[in-house]
Structure formats: C-alpha cells, structure tokens
C-alpha cells in the first residue's frame, strides 16, 4: 500500500508549461483551427453557400468541438482516460497543486472547484448583466436605434442564454461543490475529476457563446425557436454548442452530486438530519440529470438540421416546429426550477441561523422541494397556451401549473414559521433572504395571471411574463445567490466581507431591482411584447424609468464587485471560524477549511438546526471510517 | 459555538486518504444508474420525435416513397450489441466466481462484437436507399442511430479500460497489488495512487459497466423495434 | 452556548401574537379586497374592445381579488414578525424558542393553498371553455363562442415581417390591414409562411401563434367600431420589433363598402393568388447546401 508521499517534483519547464489554463488556451485555439480546416477538407468548397465566405456550418461545429477537446487536453483531462486505456488502474486525484496556480488548472479539490465556479460563474454573470445594460440603453428611446436590429437581438440572446445557461450551475457549482461534501461529512465528491470537468466545460461553453459575435450573432433569444434558428447565421451554431455543453455539464454535475449525497454521507447522517440545502441540491440535481439530456438531444436534432440537412423541425418536409417547442419546454420548465430550487434551499438553510430557531416543518420543507421537482415535469405546455399545440390539454396544464404553487407554498410557510417568535438578526445574508420572500411572492402571484389561460392570452410573450420570470429568477435565485455569497464566502476564503458596503449593496439592489421590474408588469399589460427593438411612444416614460433603474441596479452590482475585491484583496480582515454562530458543520471547521476537511470523519447525532435546544454537540468526532457504514 | 474545531490541518495523506475501495464501488454503481437515467431521457426525446412526427406527417413527408430502413442491417447490428451485453454479464458472473481468465476472454469477445456493431452501423448508413434529408423518418433514423453510435462507442471505450486493467494486472490477486506512485495516472510527475488497492476496483467497475451496457443494449433493442419493426 | 434564557423569555410572553396578526390581516383584507376588486381589477387591460377582452378583464379582476388577501397576509405577517421578533440590544446571544412543528398550521396551510389553487384552476377552465378567451386553440378548437353559429372567417398569414389578411367569404380577398365588422363573431385562422410569429390584436384580447403548416384558430366577438393594434408577440427575426399595424372594427355598412372597393382593387391580381387554403407551405425553409 503506497501513498502519495513519494511524488516526484516536476521540472521547471513542466511546471510552467504543463497542463494549466495557458496550455489549455493554446491547445484550444489549435484544436479550433484543426476542426475548422478538417471540416473544409471533409466537406470541400462545393458546399459553401456564401460565395464570399469560405466556411460552412460543419466548419463552425467541428472547429468548436476541436477547440473544446484541445482545451480539455491542455488542462490535462485526457491524461487519465489515456492511461486507463493503456490499462493503468483507477485513481482518484489528477493533481494536487499548492498556491494560486491550482485555481487555473485542473484541480480535483472540491473546495478549489467551488471557488473556481464562484469566479467563473461570476465573470459570465457580469458579462450577461452588461448585455442587459445595453438592452436597456437601446430601449431608452422608442424609435431611435442605438444598435442595429440584428445586434440588438444578439444582445437579447446573449443576455438570456448566458443567464439561463450559466446560472443553472450558479448555486450548485460554487456552493454545492464547496459545501455538500463538508455538510455530509465527506472529504471529497464522489467523482472529483468529473467535478472539475463540469467547471471547465462551462468555461469553454461561455467562451463559445461570446464568440458568436464573430459569426453574426443569433436572432432567436434563449429559446432558439425553429424555423428561425434554421435560417439563422452561423452564430446560431455557437448557441447550439453552448447550450449543449451546458447541458452535458449540468448532467454530470447533477450525477456527481446525487452519487455523493447517496453514497458518501457520514455515519449518523440520516435523511431526516440532512441539511435542507443538501435536499435542495439533491432535488435540483435530479432535475439536472433527467432534464438536461432532453436539451442535449433537442439541440443535437437542431444541429443535424443545420449541418446534415435532416428535417426534424422543418414543416412541410416531414418535421414540425411543434416538436422543437415541446422538447425544448420539456427541458425548459424543469430548467426554471433548476434555477429556483437552490434559492428555496438557501433561504431555508439561512433563516434558522439568523432567526435563532430550528427550521420549522423540516419534513414539509423537504416535501415542498420534492413536490416541485415532480410537478415541474407536468407543466411544460403552459409556455405554449396560445401556440395551437394541443388546445384541449390547456385545462390540464392550467391545473398542474397552479398545483405547483402548493409545494412552493411549503417553502413559504416553513420560512415564515421559522421567523415566528425568533430573535431575528439583520445581517446582510438575512436581508437577502428576506428580500427573496418579497420578490418570490410577487413573482409567484404574477405567475397566477400567466397560468390562467384567459389572462395569459394578453400577458403571454409580453413584458409581463418577462417581469414575472425576472422576479422569480433574479429576485429568487440571484438574491439567494448573494445571500449565500455573504454567508459562506468568509468561510471559503477566510476573509470577512465588508458589512457596511454589503448593506448598501443590499438596499440599493433591492430598491432598484423592484424599481426596474415592477413597471415592466405594467408595460406588458399595456401591450409591449418582449424582445422588441422599438415600442409605442406612449410607453417611453415607463421604459425610461426602467432603463434608469436598471443602470442603478448595475451600479449596485458593481458596488458588490468592489466590496468583494476590496475585502478579499485589500482589507483582508480575517474571518472568525463561525461568524454567524451557526450550528451547521462547515462552521465548526477552521476558516478556510483545511484541504481534507476532516481528520476524522464526523458522526452526526442531529440535524444542524438545534437553535434554542439543549446544547448537544452537532457532531462528535469519532474514529469511524470514511463513507457511510 | 463552544465546541473546538474538529479538524486540524493535516498532510498525512496516508491517514486522510485511506478510503475503503467499497466506497468507490458504491459510487460507480450509483453513477451507472444515474447515467442510465440520463441516457434514457436522451433517447426518449428521439422516441417522442419518432411518434410525434409520425402522427403529424407534415407535408406527407413522414416516409416518402423509397424510404425504408433495411431491417437486415439493423438486425445484425442489434444482435452484435445484444450478444456483447450478454457476454459482459456472463463475464461478470465469471469474475464473481473467481474465474478471471474466462472473464477476460468473454470481455474481449464482447469488445470485439461491440466494435463490429459500430463498423456495421457505419456501413449500414451508406447502404440505405435514402439520405438524412428525405423526410421525417429519415431524420429520426439518422439522428437516433448517430447518437446511439456515440453512446455505444463511449461504452466500448469504458469496456476497453476495464479490460485493459484486467489484462495488465492479471498476475495479481486483489489486495496484494503494489502500485507505485504515478502508476495509476501513467505520469511520474502526477501522483495518482491514492486509492488503497486500486486493482480491487476492477470488480466494482465491472458491476457498473455491465449494468450500463445491458441498459444501453436494451435501448438498442428498443431502437430496433421502433425504427425497423414499427 | 446557553439557550435556556431564550426559551423561558419567549415562553413567558403573555402576548398572543397569532391573534394580533390574524386580526390585522382580516381588517386589512376586508378593506383592501373590495377596493382592489372594484377599482384596480377593471382597470387592468386589455379593456373593452371585444367580448374576449372584457372576459379577460373580468378574469384579471377575479384573480386580483383572490390574491389580495394572500398578499395582505404576507405583508402583515412579515411586517409584524420582522419588527416584533427582531433581536433587541443585549439579546445577541439569545436563541428563540425551539418550535419545530405545528401540525395544525401545516394542515391549515396545505388545505388553504389547495382550495385556492383548485378554485382558480376551476374558474380558469370554466372561463376558457366558455369562449376560448381569444387564445389560439389549434386546428380543432374545443371552445367555440356562440356554438356553431356562422362566423366571419378571416385568415391571418404571418411572414417576416408583416401580417396579411385573407377573407375567403369575399372571394379570397387579401388585405394588408385587418378590418372587421362590428358586433360580429369572427374566426381567425392564423398561419405562417416562415418563422413562428404570434398574432396579437391587443385591444381585442386575441393572441395566437402563427406556425408554418398549422391552422391556429382563435375566436373573437367584436363590439363597437374602434381602432386596435396588431403586434407580433413571438421573436421572429431581424424586424420583429417593427412587425405591427393598426386594425379597424367598423359598422356593417362601412364593412360592406370597404369590402366592395377592396375587391375591385384586388380583382386584377386575384387570378395570380394561390387558392384559399388553411395553410400554405412554401418550399421547405432551409439554407442551400
């Protein structure tokens, strides 16, 4: 039995050039060109349909696929499978490096991956936010166009696709990866290499989506409806590749999470002692594993329509755009709960800490999460109420859509009763959690109008529905995301975030978020369709109000960025191990958490919500072996 | 909290990394089931596409004249996959019973049959009387078989990995293997041998693989029924 | 940490918080709900342009009335809880009472949300099946206003980036503007020649997606003469934002006059038009290659 102790130290050239972000980018670009010219060699110039441009769809697809393979090879993802193909036995770790370098290379430490996710997702979140600012800039005036119409549609598409694609992993990526192994008393995720792969795939996908601008952008928004997508620029291929890679990343992320939670819980951590956050991760992961493959399949069909001239979605050639709309929303509705459920879980996880009370109705809260997970499969045609698909099924989808508010309501009642008679402390994470209730309430109540077919006839496809899903996703997910950042980043980095800047950030964000999206309900009811570059003169005041508020919202997010950089890079006030007096296990570890989390695997004797109860130790160190016994 | 931090920083990897191989085996089996679920939903999309487009038959272009998949090719491919999956199942039984050489022979045969299925499928595409642009059925046929091809290819790569490890360590009994640092990753600058007794994982991986391969073979049979028989 | 004092302090509280919240909620709801239902509800668009639009307004009115008490409950609850249960100075180390569950509250909550949801779904279904509410219902509509009474058929043909209207009862007349007679039952047959569009006649409360190869039917019963706006509500490409137009509802006499003059203008091109059909499939839209 040998251990890692005997590792050889790599030579300098190897440490400089070998398998980091730099090699990844070099090989990625190389792979891109290899794919590009490879496709030209296969297809030949006869299939070039733009006389003046010597590329075709296949070039774009193969170039990017080559780029992704090169990128992953440059990071060192191929080393392990190649070794396995030659018969070397399975191993757990690709590489452990020290220092800052591990954040820019393939690292299988779940805590490093969590922090990589935080910055990587944050980067694309801010790029997506910038696109939103440009959209609102365009809409300052009803007729004057700041951007050409095609550029505007690309901005709309980039904003929507980036947010809907990237933010699916917005909480499971950073916080799931970082916290789930700790919360369940494990030292790692079940599949550390796959864990790292999900992150780097996502980064490659983000780069692919952004480079759509070199291929003319794409006009379809995040839904990618055919036939528009079939006739679109080569930039559409970037959308397809982006979302397909995100889908693969989501599937693997969910798979890894479920395998970890099911098999690697520490002794004593029964299903009823699991932190509610882990339940949220589990239900989200279930949706990811099952829904994301549908997305990948749908986009595969679309890719074949564009490259191999199949006719899945071509009406009149044996296909139907209804097929796309059905398949896309079969994925698309679980997708919005993939976005929303982690928000529920974080709010329920944090409320007990700041209300100083146990989580009220634990089983009801879990039932709520699972109920949403189940029902989210049965509602997809509510996106298609006026599309003419299965008109006779609309009463069913109206019922199932409204039924989903019952399990959602469980989250509300559990949260509210947790606050009841508590000793509420208004720290920044708590403020974000409370704002979540306000935002999600408005999002949910506006959803009542959208789920009701007669009312949906007017609100469907208008700014009303746009405001609705911004209230649920931005008001729900993003506010919970910030709650999680303020709550856990001190633990993850070992440095405090500035409380005063945090409070300013919260209040400005809350105020301007509502000031941005509340008027959009009115704009929708007054007849402004989504994704338009121009609108009636009479709606200019509303739109200008919204735009100015949106800019202020953007400024508020910049303030957050300033706080983050200032606190972590300049102020560097060391965080206490347990700044919130939480009973959760991650706060019983030092800040930042040591590489292997626990010297000895803990044994759990209760859930982490015993506030106000007899001060029994949450976990007792014991000599139990790793893994559930 | 009054309780002291539970863990101190420790670099004694021998202590902290000493995970029992059963844990990895459990992980692999769980992953195989999850992967099977994801695969099922992936191909359910194609099943849905098949029946949806067939029921709509837009533009009378579901199966224009002359579009019919050759059942002979489909049957041969499906038979190869099915026999391969059965061989892996039998090989697992051999491995459980301690008959390692029998497992290796059956595994090798299964790998060859799987590869044969891939080659035959590729030939079958060129032998059809129609192309991907010939209507709804043609689209579903080529799309479905193309992605099934990729899934089978991936599973065969996995089978090759398990088989290659079995062959490389055929002289060792489980629990006695001395695996040098870097041996597992095949790279001396990269320490990978942090699993206690990695060779004993062959069984666990084989359990996971045989489940997944049987599941995928089930999907191949379903494909055969839907695309060639219906 | 010691949690004991927290428990005893909370338990000794003589105030019945729950009763206070319920009373405040009842008072607020009783005041707010009628106000919202009477004043805010009817003000919600799309207005009174057609029977379907009025029906939608009624729907919105009912739903705002239903959600007002829910909103009131949450507002009152949070306002009370967040002020009354905030940790006072000096209580920083105290915990609240360890209340983990209250089956009666759970049962009440589940029953209440369940009833509201079923009620709303039943109401929505009833309203939908009455007239179809102006929504696109696909080629075989389940909800037809006025039974099988003869309706004016108008075909809406969407393409990038305009709507064309075809009147089969007027000899396949095509018009770039939608003109409808007042107080008439109209069946709109919406279809597309290229991308997916959505025909949105805002003041009439009509929205129906236009899909290539699909005849999507929506019904509307016009009221008095008026101007209404038509917009495309589904992203359909470059000039989606400019895909709008005005339509007119006119008196029966004006409509006949308009139809006669349009038919005269249309006559020279009529013979070049494709025969009237529920859908028109152009060559498959795919790029060369």
């Amino acid at each position: 039995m040998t251990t890692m102790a005997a590792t050889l130290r790599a030579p300098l050239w190897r440490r400089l050039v070998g398998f980091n972000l730099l090699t990844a980018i070099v090989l990625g670009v190389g792979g891109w060109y290899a794919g590009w010219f490879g496709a030209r060699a296969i297809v030949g110039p006869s299939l070039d349909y733009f006389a003046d441009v010597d590329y075709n769809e296949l070039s774009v697809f193969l170039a990017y696929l080559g780029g992704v393979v090169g990128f992953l090879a440059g990071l060192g993802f191929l080393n392990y499978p190649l070794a396995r193909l030659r018969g070397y036995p399975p191993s757990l770790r690709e590489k452990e490096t020290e220092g800052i370098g591990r954040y820019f290379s393939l690292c299988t430490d779940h805590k490093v991956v969590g922090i990589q996710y935080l910055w990587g997702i944050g980067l694309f979140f801010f790029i997506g936010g910038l696109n939103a600012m440009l959209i609102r800039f365009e809409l300052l005036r009803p007729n004057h166009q700041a951007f050409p119409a095609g550029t505007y549609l690309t901005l709309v598409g980039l904003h929507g696709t980036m947010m809907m694609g990237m933010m699916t992993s917005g909480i499971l990526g950073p916080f799931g990866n970082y916290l789930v192994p700790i919360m369940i008393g494990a030292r790692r995720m079940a599949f550390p290499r796959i864990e790292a792969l999900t992150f780097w795939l996502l980064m490659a996908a983000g780069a692919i989506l952004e480079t759509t601008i070199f291929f003319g952008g794409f006009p379809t928004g995040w839904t990618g409806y055919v036939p528009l997508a079939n006739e679109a620029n080569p930039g559409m291929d970037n959308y397809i590749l982006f979302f397909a890679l995100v889908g693969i990343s989501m599937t693997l992320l969910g798979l890894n999470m479920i395998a970890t939670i099911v098999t690697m819980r520490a002794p004593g951590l029964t299903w009823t002692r699991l932190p509610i956050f882990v339940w949220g991760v589990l239900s989200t992961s279930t949706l990811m594993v099952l829904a994301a493959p549908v997305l990948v399949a749908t986009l595969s069909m679309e890719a074949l329509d564009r490259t191999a001239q199949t006719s899945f979605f071509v009406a009149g050639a044996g296909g139907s755009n209804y097929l796309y709309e059905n398949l896309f929303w079969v994925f698309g509705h679980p997708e919005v709960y993939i976005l929303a459920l982690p928000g529920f879980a974080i709010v329920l996880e944090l409320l007990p800490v700041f209300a100083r009370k146990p989580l009220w109705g634990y089983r009801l809260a879990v039932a709520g999460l699972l109920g949403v997970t189940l029902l989210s499969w049965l509602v997809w045609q509510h996106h298609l109420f006026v599309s003419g698909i299965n008109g006779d099924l609309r009463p069913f989808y109206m019922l199932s859509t409204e039924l989903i508010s019952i399990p959602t309501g469980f989250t509300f009642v559990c949260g509210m009763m947790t606050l009841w008679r508590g000793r509420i402390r208004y720290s920044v994470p708590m403020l974000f959690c409370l704002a979540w209730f306000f935002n999600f309430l408005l999002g949910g109540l506006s959803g009542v109008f959208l789920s009701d077919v007669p009312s949906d006839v007017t609100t469907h496809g208008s700014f009303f529905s746009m405001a609705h899903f911004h209230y649920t996703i931005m008001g729900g997910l993003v506010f919970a995301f910030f709650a999680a950042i303020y709550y856990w980043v001190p633990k993850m980095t070992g440095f405090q975030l500035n409380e005063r800047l945090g409070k300013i950030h919260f209040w400005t964000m809350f105020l301007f978020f509502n000031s941005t999206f509340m008027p959009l309900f009115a704009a929708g009811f007054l007849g402004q369709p989504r994704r338009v570059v121009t609108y009636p003169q009479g709606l200019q005041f509303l739109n200008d109000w919204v735009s100015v508020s949106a800019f202020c919202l953007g400024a508020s997010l910049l303030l957050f960025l300033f706080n983050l950089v200032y606190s972590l890079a300049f102020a560097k006030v060391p965080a206490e191990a347990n700044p919130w007096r939480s009973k959760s296990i991650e706060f019983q570890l030092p800040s930042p958490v040591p590489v292997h989390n626990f010297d000895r695997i803990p044994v759990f004797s209760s859930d982490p919500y015993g506030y106000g109860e007899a001060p029994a130790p949450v976990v007792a160190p014991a000599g139990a072996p790793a893994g559930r016994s | 909290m009054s309780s002291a931090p539970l863990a101190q920083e420790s670099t004694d990897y021998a202590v902290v990394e000493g995970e029992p191989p059963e844990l990895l085996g459990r992980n692999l089996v769980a992953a195989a089931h999850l992967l099977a679920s994801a695969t099922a939903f992936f191909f359910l999309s194609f099943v849905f596409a098949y029946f949806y487009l067939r029921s709509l038959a837009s533009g009378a272009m579901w199966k224009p004249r002359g579009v019919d998949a050759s059942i002979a090719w489909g049957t041969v491919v499906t038979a190869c996959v099915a026999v391969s999956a059965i061989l892996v199942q039998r090989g697992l039984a051999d491995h459980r019973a301690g008959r390692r050489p029998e497992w290796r022979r059956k595994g090798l045969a299964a790998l060859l049959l799987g590869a044969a299925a891939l080659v035959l499928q590729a030939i079958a595409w060129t032998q059809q009387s129609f192309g991907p642009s010939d209507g709804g059925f043609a689209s579903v046929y080529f799309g479905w078989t193309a992605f099934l091809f990729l899934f089978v290819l991936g599973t065969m790569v996995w089978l090759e990995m398990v088989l290659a490890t079995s062959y490389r360590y055929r002289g060792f009994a489980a629990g006695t293997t001395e695996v040098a640092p870097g041996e597992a990753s095949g790279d001396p600058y990269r320490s990978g041998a942090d699993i206690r007794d990695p060779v004993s994982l062959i069984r666990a991986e084989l359990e996971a693989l045989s489940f997944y391969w049987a599941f995928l073979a089930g999907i191949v049979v379903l494909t055969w029924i839907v695309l060639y028989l219906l | 940490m010691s949690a004991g004092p927290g428990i005893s302090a909370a338990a000794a509280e003589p105030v019945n918080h729950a009763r206070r919240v319920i009373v405040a909620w009842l008072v607020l709801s009783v005041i707010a709900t009628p106000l919202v239902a009477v004043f805010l509800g009817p003000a919600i668009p799309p207005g009174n342009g057609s029977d379907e639009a009025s029906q939608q307004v009624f729907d919105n009115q009912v739903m705002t009335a239903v959600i007002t008490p829910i909103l009131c409950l949450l507002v009152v609850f949070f306002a009370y809880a967040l002020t009354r249960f905030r940790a006072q100075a000096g209580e920083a180390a105290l915990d609240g009472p360890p209340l983990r569950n209250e089956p009666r509250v759970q049962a009440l909550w589940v029953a209440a949300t369940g009833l509201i949801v079923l009620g709303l779904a039943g109401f929505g279904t009833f309203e939908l099946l009455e007239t179809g509410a102006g929504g696109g219902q696909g080629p075989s509509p389940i909800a037809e206003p006025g039974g099988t009474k003869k309706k004016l058929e108008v075909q809406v043909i969407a393409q990038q980036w305009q709507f064309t209207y075809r009147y089969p009862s007027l000899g396949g007349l095509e018009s770039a503007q939608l003109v409808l007679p007042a107080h008439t039952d109209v069946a709109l047959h919406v279809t597309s020649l290229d991308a997916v569009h959505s025909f949105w006649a805002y003041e009439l409360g009509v929205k129906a997606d236009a899909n290539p190869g699909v005849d999507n039917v929506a019904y509307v019963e016009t009221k008095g003469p008026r101007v209404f706006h038509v917009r495309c509500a589904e992203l359909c490409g470059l000039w989606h934002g400019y895909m709008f137009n005005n339509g007119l509802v006119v008196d029966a006499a004006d409509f006949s006059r308009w139809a006669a003059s349009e038919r005269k203008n249309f006559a020279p091109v009529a013979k070049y038009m494709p025969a009237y059909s529920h859908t028109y499939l152009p060559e498959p839209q795919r790029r060369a290659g």
Side-chain angles (χ1 to χ4, degrees):
Chain A
M1 166 68 224
T2 320
T3 64
M4 292 175 65
T7 310
L8 294 175
R9 187 166 168 77
L12 182 66
W13 69 267
R14 177 62 189 273
R15 271 178 286 146
L16 285 178
V17 192
F19 303 119
N20 52 36
L21 189 55
L22 198 66
T23 22
I25 289 171
V26 171
L27 286 191
V29 172
W32 194 93
Y33 278 103
W36 179 269
F37 291 112
R40 284 188 64 196
I42 297 169
V43 181
S46 63
L47 281 184
D48 294 344
Y49 14 83
F50 301 115
D52 52 340
V53 186
D54 62 347
Y55 56 63
N56 52 52
E57 298 311 338
L58 200 64
S59 292
V60 181
F61 275 105
L62 286 192
Y64 278 108
L65 288 177
V68 170
V69 172
F71 181 74
L72 296 179
L75 281 165
F77 275 102
L78 296 190
N79 299 354
Y80 175 72
L82 289 178
R84 291 296 315 277
L85 280 173
R86 287 181 288 134
Y88 290 98
S91 76
L92 210 55
R93 275 171 206 284
E94 196 74 8
K95 177 159 128 178
E96 285 294 356
T97 40
E98 299 290 320
I100 198 82
R102 62 191 159 154
Y103 294 103
F104 297 95
S105 57
L106 163 57
C107 184
T108 49
D109 180 352
H110 72 93
K111 296 181 289 298
V112 173
V113 176
I115 290 170
Q116 283 174 331
Y117 256 113
L118 188 61
W119 290 98
I121 297 254
L123 172 72
F124 286 111
F125 176 73
F126 270 86
I127 292 176
L130 184 66
N131 290 334
M133 297 295 107
L134 295 176
I135 293 169
R136 286 319 312 180
F137 180 71
E138 165 67 54
L139 293 177
L140 273 171
R141 289 166 73 178
N143 277 315
H144 176 265
Q145 291 199 342
F147 305 109
T151 309
Y152 174 78
L153 289 184
T154 298
L155 284 173
V156 170
L158 279 176
H159 168 71
T161 315
M162 188 58 83
M163 293 302 191
M164 295 301 278
M166 280 288 169
M167 291 309 282
T168 46
S169 310
I171 285 180
L172 258 62
F175 301 108
N177 277 312
Y178 194 99
L179 293 166
V180 163
I182 301 179
M183 282 182 167
I184 64 172
R187 294 198 175 104
R188 61 177 180 89
M189 296 285 288
F191 300 101
R193 217 171 271 109
I194 285 179
E195 183 189 16
L197 179 66
T198 61
F199 168 73
W200 289 107
L201 270 182
L202 216 52
M203 294 301 104
I208 289 173
L209 184 66
E210 289 301 331
T211 50
T212 184
I213 52 176
F214 300 121
F215 297 97
F218 61 98
T220 60
W222 86 277
T223 46
Y225 270 16
V226 286
L228 188 57
N230 269 353
E231 50 183 63
N233 289 321
M236 198 70 219
D237 302 335
N238 294 55
Y239 163 90
I240 293 170
L241 282 161
F242 165 82
F243 235 149
L245 283 181
V246 167
I248 294 168
S249 169
M250 273 161 64
T251 311
L252 295 176
L253 177 64
L255 184 150
N256 200 2
M257 287 288 170
I258 298 177
T260 309
I261 296 169
V262 169
T263 61
M264 296 182 68
R265 279 170 294 126
L269 190 59
T270 56
W271 289 109
T272 49
R273 291 177 187 164
L274 215 53
I276 197 77
F277 176 71
V278 180
W279 272 110
V281 170
L282 193 63
S283 44
T284 310
S285 300
T286 311
L287 289 178
M288 282 180 162
V289 168
L290 299 181
V294 178
L295 171 73
V296 180
T298 312
L299 293 171
S300 307
M301 295 177 198
E302 174 58 13
L304 287 174
D305 266 15
R306 285 177 66 84
T307 56
Q309 310 306 321
T310 56
S311 50
F312 282 102
F313 307 131
V314 185
S320 163
N321 61 300
Y322 281 169
L323 175 63
Y324 182 88
E325 289 168 31
N326 266 315
L327 285 176
F328 183 82
W329 288 114
V330 165
F331 150 77
H333 207 82
E335 145 92 357
V336 303
Y337 282 100
I338 290 173
L339 292 164
L341 281 175
F344 294 14
I346 282 185
V347 168
L348 292 180
E349 181 72 32
L350 265 55
L351 282 182
V353 180
F354 294 97
R356 310 309 300 169
K357 277 184 65 208
L359 176 63
W360 188 90
Y362 178 93
R363 280 160 197 258
L364 194 69
V366 173
L369 295 173
L370 298 182
V372 170
T373 306
L374 184 68
L375 280 175
S376 68
W377 289 97
L378 304 175
V379 300
W380 80 89
Q381 282 197 0
H382 70 209
H383 297 269
L384 306 166
F385 273 154
V386 297
S387 71
I389 289 182
N390 309 119
D392 38 356
L393 284 181
R394 285 175 300 168
F396 167 74
Y397 285 104
M398 177 159 33
L399 174 65
S400 61
T401 304
E402 288 173 356
L403 281 181
I404 215 166
S405 57
I406 297 178
T408 309
F410 292 176
T411 304
F412 265 80
V413 74
C414 291
M416 285 157 65
M417 292 305 289
T418 303
L419 293 174
W420 189 245
R421 293 176 59 196
R423 293 263 188 277
I424 303 171
R425 296 175 298 165
Y426 295 102
S427 307
V428 182
M430 183 62 167
L431 292 174
F432 276 101
C433 287
L434 294 173
W436 178 91
F437 280 99
F438 182 82
N439 297 336
F440 211 86
L441 177 67
L442 290 189
L445 292 182
S446 58
V448 171
F449 290 87
L450 289 161
S451 68
D452 181 89
V453 181
S455 185
D456 182 63
V457 170
T458 287
T459 48
H460 172 89
S462 74
F463 264 60
F464 185 92
S465 71
M466 185 270 215
H468 159 74
F469 68 69
H470 277 85
Y471 259 95
T472 51
I473 295 175
M474 184 160 185
L477 171 80
V478 175
F479 273 71
F481 180 60
F482 280 115
I485 287 179
Y486 280 101
Y487 184 70
W488 278 305
V489 159
K491 172 55 62 183
M492 293 162 77
T493 60
F495 296 117
Q496 284 177 15
L497 296 179
N498 187 301
E499 174 93 8
R500 176 188 293 268
L501 284 174
K503 285 204 165 146
I504 298 173
H505 166 222
F506 167 75
W507 283 110
T508 50
M509 183 168 165
F510 181 63
L511 184 69
F512 291 119
F513 166 77
N514 282 291
S515 167
T516 301
F517 291 104
M518 214 177 283
L520 290 180
F521 286 123
F525 260 136
L526 293 173
Q528 185 170 349
R530 286 168 65 185
R531 299 153 162 174
V532 286
V533 68
T534 180
Y535 54 86
Q537 294 278 357
L539 295 175
Q540 187 176 2
F541 177 74
L542 268 181
N543 275 282
D544 284 358
W545 176 283
V546 168
S547 287
V548 172
S549 302
F551 299 147
C552 296
L553 181 59
S556 168
L557 289 170
L558 285 181
L559 182 70
F560 160 74
L561 195 63
F562 171 76
N563 186 4
L564 197 67
V565 173
Y566 167 77
S567 302
L568 298 184
F570 297 102
K572 290 197 160 184
V573 183
E576 294 169 48
N578 190 358
W580 318 111
R581 293 196 298 119
S582 166
K583 292 201 171 190
S584 190
I585 185 166
E586 72 272 17
F587 284 101
Q588 318 312 321
L589 300 175
S591 295
V593 180
V595 178
H596 290 280
N597 302 353
F598 310 99
D599 269 359
R600 289 182 175 280
I601 294 297
V603 176
F604 289 78
S605 57
S606 72
D607 68 19
Y609 305 117
Y611 301 100
E613 291 174 350
V618 181
V619 287
R628 196 165 46 121
S629 51
Chain B
M1 287 299 295
S2 53
S3 57
L6 287 171
Q8 309 297 327
E9 177 69 71
S10 166
T11 48
D12 186 355
Y13 291 85
V15 172
V16 296
E17 285 292 303
E19 284 182 347
E22 310 90 80
L23 175 66
L24 285 124
R26 275 209 307 270
N27 285 344
L28 279 169
V29 172
H33 284 81
L34 291 165
L35 200 60
S37 318
T39 311
F41 272 68
F42 184 90
F43 286 106
L44 274 177
S45 309
F46 283 95
V47 175
F48 180 80
Y50 177 93
F51 287 105
Y52 198 75
L53 294 185
R54 182 177 164 147
S55 70
L56 287 180
S58 79
M61 282 285 282
W62 165 245
K63 264 190 188 182
R65 195 190 308 273
V67 173
D68 213 356
S70 151
I71 192 166
W73 283 104
T75 310
V76 172
V77 171
T78 308
C80 284
V81 170
V83 173
S84 171
I86 292 168
L87 278 175
V88 172
Q89 291 286 339
R90 302 299 308 150
L92 172 65
D94 285 338
H95 199 284
R96 281 178 181 155
R99 300 188 294 269
R100 302 284 175 80
E102 280 84 350
W103 136 243
R104 286 196 294 275
R105 274 196 291 281
K106 289 198 175 80
L108 192 61
L111 182 63
L112 292 175
L113 272 174
L118 293 175
V119 173
L120 290 170
Q121 177 64 66
I123 297 171
W125 286 329
T126 66
Q127 300 300 310
Q128 299 296 353
S129 60
F130 57 94
S133 54
D134 290 333
F137 174 78
S139 304
V140 176
Y141 171 81
F142 279 99
W144 189 337
T145 50
F147 284 95
L148 198 53
F149 183 93
L150 291 182
F151 275 78
V152 172
L153 180 65
T155 315
M156 286 304 98
V157 169
W158 189 7
L159 176 58
E160 200 280 342
M161 287 175 177
V162 179
L163 205 56
T165 318
S166 295
Y167 270 101
R168 181 176 283 267
Y169 294 94
R170 59 186 175 275
F172 295 84
T176 62
T177 321
E178 279 292 325
V179 180
E183 170 94 9
S185 61
D187 180 344
Y189 300 123
R190 214 162 270 264
S191 46
D194 49 4
I195 298 175
R196 183 187 298 158
D197 189 14
V199 175
S200 71
L201 271 175
I202 291 172
R203 166 80 64 77
E205 205 169 3
L206 185 55
E207 304 258 2
L209 170 66
S210 68
F211 168 77
Y212 184 73
W213 185 218
F215 186 86
L216 197 62
I219 290 184
V220 172
V221 172
L222 174 79
T223 308
W224 180 70
I225 292 171
V226 172
L227 288 184
Y228 299 102
L229 295 189
L230 291 186
Chain C
M1 99 194 55
S2 78
I7 296 172
S8 58
E13 205 95 51
V15 186
N16 189 336
H17 299 296
R19 194 164 59 204
R20 285 184 177 187
V21 168
I22 289 169
V23 168
W25 167 56
L26 282 176
V27 170
L28 189 63
S29 299
V30 167
I31 298 171
T33 308
L35 287 177
V36 166
V38 173
F39 294 108
L40 178 66
I44 295 179
N48 198 21
S50 71
D51 284 7
E52 280 70 15
S54 315
Q55 190 198 354
Q56 290 172 27
V57 172
F58 174 66
D59 254 58
N60 290 335
Q61 192 177 356
V62 170
M63 280 188 296
T64 41
V66 171
I67 66 177
T68 305
I70 305 174
L71 194 62
C72 289
L73 174 65
L74 275 102
V75 166
V76 168
F77 181 94
F78 276 100
Y80 189 87
L82 296 187
T83 50
R84 189 65 185 74
F85 303 130
R86 107 174 263 163
Q88 305 299 320
E91 285 187 345
L94 291 189
D95 284 353
L99 309 170
R100 278 187 175 261
N101 205 344
E102 180 58 64
R104 279 178 310 169
V105 176
Q106 284 192 8
L108 191 66
W109 180 272
V110 175
T113 50
L115 276 179
I116 294 170
V117 160
L118 291 177
L120 279 175
F123 170 71
T125 305
F126 176 78
E127 289 284 297
L128 171 68
L129 294 183
E130 214 176 10
T131 64
Q137 309 192 51
S140 42
I142 53 165
E144 204 174 335
T148 50
K149 200 170 63 177
K150 187 95 180 84
K151 297 182 179 62
L152 174 67
E153 238 180 69
V154 181
Q155 186 170 46
V156 180
I157 306 169
Q159 61 186 306
Q160 287 164 330
W161 289 272
Q162 64 173 5
F163 292 106
T164 310
Y165 306 95
R166 210 163 176 195
Y167 296 78
S169 57
L170 303 177
L173 169 70
E174 273 202 4
S175 160
Q177 192 182 31
L178 179 56
V179 179
L180 297 172
H183 305 290
T184 310
D185 283 6
V186 183
L188 295 158
H189 292 259
V190 184
T191 188
S192 165
L193 300 183
D194 38 48
V196 179
H197 304 265
S198 192
F199 170 76
W200 185 10
Y202 171 65
E203 286 88 347
L204 301 186
V206 173
K207 192 178 282 157
D209 280 7
N211 302 281
V214 176
D215 173 33
N216 191 8
V217 183
Y219 297 107
V220 62
E221 297 163 86
T222 55
K223 291 191 174 179
R226 65 171 301 135
V227 178
F228 59 88
H229 296 92
V230 172
R231 282 173 202 139
C232 177
E234 185 59 64
L235 183 52
C236 58
L238 196 58
W239 299 113
H240 164 60
Y242 286 93
M243 195 166 161
F244 54 79
N245 199 353
N246 287 344
L248 295 172
V249 178
V250 295
D251 284 335
D254 287 341
F255 183 74
S256 307
R257 262 198 302 282
W258 172 83
S261 85
E262 282 293 302
R263 285 185 80 164
K264 202 155 60 186
N265 293 339
F266 183 66
V269 294
K271 57 178 175 293
Y272 300 109
M273 302 301 296
Y276 180 80
S277 151
H278 279 312
T279 62
Y280 305 88
L281 277 179
E283 290 301 297
Q285 310 100 22
R286 64 157 54 124
R287 297 166 54 190

